[in-house]
Amino acid sequence: MSDPIDFPLPSTIAVNGIELEVFEAGQENAGNPLVLCHGWPELAFSWRHHMEAFAAAGYHVIAPNQRGFGNSSRPTEVADYDIAHLCGDLVGLLDHFGYEHATFVGHDWGANVVWSSAVLHPTRVNKVIALSVPYMERGDVPPLAFIEAIAGGDSYLVHFNREPGVADAVFDAHPRQFLRNLYRSTEPTAEPGAGMALLNLAHAETPRGEPVMSESDLAVFVEAFEASGFTAGVNWYRNLDRNWELMSGVDPIVRQPALMIYGTRDPAVMRAPNLETFVPHVEVVDLDCGHWIQEELPDEAARVMLAWLEQQRAAEAVTGSAGHPHGS
C-alpha cells in the first residue's frame, strides 16, 4: 500500500451550467491534456497514485470531481445526470482550458462517460483509456427491462431505479461502513443471501477480503460522501433508460485508439464479447486484480497506461497525426 500522497489543491471551474471541483498536475505541460474521470462511488482522489506519473510523462493532467461528487455542483433533477450532461461537462472543461481535444482516461462509470464522449463528441477525444468497464453496444431494448429480466429486481441497477431513494438513505446512514466494505480486493458484492447486494454490504459489520487503500485514504472518501450524500452519484444510474434513448441514432463506432484494461477478478463487470467490432483500434490488457484497478495495482496500471500512451505517441510521430482524433 502506498503512503499517503499530497494531492493537488482544487480550483472551481464553471462549465455547462454548473461548477466542477478540478484538480490539476503538470500545468507546465499545457497543450498536452489528459483528463481523468472517476467512477462510483469514487472521486478525483481515486487518481492520486497516477496524476504525478502522467505529469512526469509530459501531460497536463485534469481530474474533476464530476457533477454530483465532492464539492462539485449537485443538481436536484435526475435528468441533469444523463449522459449528455456528463459528457457535456467534459467538453466544457476542454473549452475552459482552450483545448480542441484531449486523451481521456476513465474507471467504472467514468469509463462509460469517456466511451460515450468518444462517440458523442468524436472531435474532442483523441484517445481513450478505460479501466474495468468496456464499451457496450446500445442494444435493441431499454437496458432496465433487459437487466431485470436477467438479474431480477435485486440487481442494484434495477433497485436504484425502481425504488428511488431507498438505497441512498442506507448508504447515507452508513457511509464509512459501506465504503470500507466496498473497497476490498476480493468479491464484496458476491455474498450469499437474498436482497440487494450493495444494501447488504452497507449493513455488514465485518468486511470481507483485504482493503485496497489505507485508513487515511479511506477517510478522504468517507468525509466527502458524508458531506455530499450518495443520491447525486446514484442518479447517474437512474438515467440508464434515458441514456439509451439519447444514444439513438449516434454512430456507435469508437474510431479513436483505445486501451481497455480489465481486472480478471472483477465481480462487477462482464467482458464485452464484441469489443473489437465497436472499437476497432482497441488494445486489451488483463491485470490480476478486482474492480478497483488503480487502487489494487497502482504501479502496474500506471506502467501499462504510460507504455500504451508512449506507443501511441511514437505512432503519431511517424504518421504526423499529432494526436488528432481518428475519423474526425
Side-chain angles (χ1 to χ4, degrees):
M1 195 75 65
S2 299
D3 293 329
I5 293 170
D6 291 329
F7 202 62
L9 294 175
S11 57
T12 301
I13 297 176
V15 301
N16 200 24
I18 63 164
E19 291 185 337
L20 292 182
E21 183 180 27
V22 179
F23 303 82
E24 296 176 70
Q27 290 93 327
E28 68 276 11
N29 302 319
N32 194 23
L34 183 144
V35 182
L36 300 172
C37 301
H38 64 78
W40 180 88
E42 294 182 295
L43 300 165
F45 188 68
S46 301
W47 300 107
R48 63 197 176 281
H49 300 298
H50 299 100
M51 289 188 67
E52 289 302 325
F54 283 126
Y59 293 93
H60 175 196
V61 185
I62 304 164
N65 275 334
Q66 295 173 90
R67 69 165 62 202
F69 293 84
N71 290 318
S72 293
S73 297
R74 297 189 294 275
T76 56
E77 296 297 320
V78 171
D80 286 339
Y81 298 88
D82 68 25
I83 200 66
H85 284 88
L86 299 178
C87 296
D89 293 347
L90 301 183
V91 169
L93 271 183
L94 296 191
D95 291 343
H96 169 82
F97 287 106
Y99 291 134
E100 288 186 24
H101 49 78
T103 296
F104 285 86
V105 183
H107 172 251
D108 184 78
W109 244 112
N112 186 39
V113 175
V114 169
W115 289 123
S116 299
S117 295
V119 295
L120 287 173
H121 306 281
T123 64
R124 310 306 298 270
V125 179
N126 59 48
K127 286 180 281 293
V128 169
I129 298 178
L131 291 82
S132 299
V133 175
Y135 182 83
M136 304 296 289
E137 63 177 302
R138 179 173 175 270
D140 297 325
V141 297
L144 279 181
F146 178 78
I147 296 168
E148 191 166 18
I150 294 175
D154 282 337
S155 162
Y156 72 96
L157 298 171
V158 176
H159 190 285
F160 284 167
N161 284 273
R162 303 291 191 238
E163 301 186 44
V166 173
D168 326 17
V170 174
F171 301 152
D172 287 347
H174 308 280
R176 187 184 186 283
Q177 188 164 287
F178 174 56
L179 294 174
R180 177 202 65 184
N181 293 350
L182 185 66
Y183 296 147
R184 314 298 285 191
S185 61
T186 52
E187 300 185 5
T189 60
E191 56 190 58
M196 202 266 268
L198 292 181
L199 296 187
N200 295 342
L201 206 61
H203 287 300
E205 295 184 2
T206 303
R208 301 173 61 204
E210 296 299 320
V212 300
M213 64 183 69
S214 67
E215 283 292 325
S216 59
D217 284 352
L218 176 62
V220 174
F221 291 92
V222 172
E223 182 179 356
F225 283 100
E226 284 177 341
S228 70
F230 285 85
T231 296
V234 173
N235 281 343
W236 289 34
Y237 290 93
R238 294 184 173 129
N239 280 280
L240 292 180
D241 279 356
R242 180 179 175 86
N243 294 345
W244 182 82
E245 296 283 355
L246 290 170
M247 299 300 284
S248 175
V250 175
D251 181 358
I253 305 301
V254 176
R255 305 186 189 282
Q256 298 88 335
L259 173 65
M260 176 66 225
I261 304 176
Y262 288 108
T264 57
R265 293 183 284 110
D266 188 340
V269 176
M270 293 180 60
R271 300 175 75 96
N274 53 0
L275 182 63
E276 290 81 1
T277 301
F278 290 90
V279 191
H281 306 293
V282 68
E283 179 178 337
V284 177
V285 173
D286 290 338
L287 295 182
D288 182 23
C289 61
H291 184 68
W292 313 105
I293 294 174
Q294 73 272 47
E295 303 281 2
E296 297 179 51
L297 295 176
D299 295 338
E300 191 167 354
R303 179 186 59 77
V304 169
M305 291 188 285
L306 289 170
W308 183 82
L309 287 168
E310 182 54 37
Q311 290 173 3
Q312 296 302 311
R313 185 150 48 186
E316 290 163 4
V318 171
T319 61
S321 61
H324 290 285
H326 288 221
S328 61

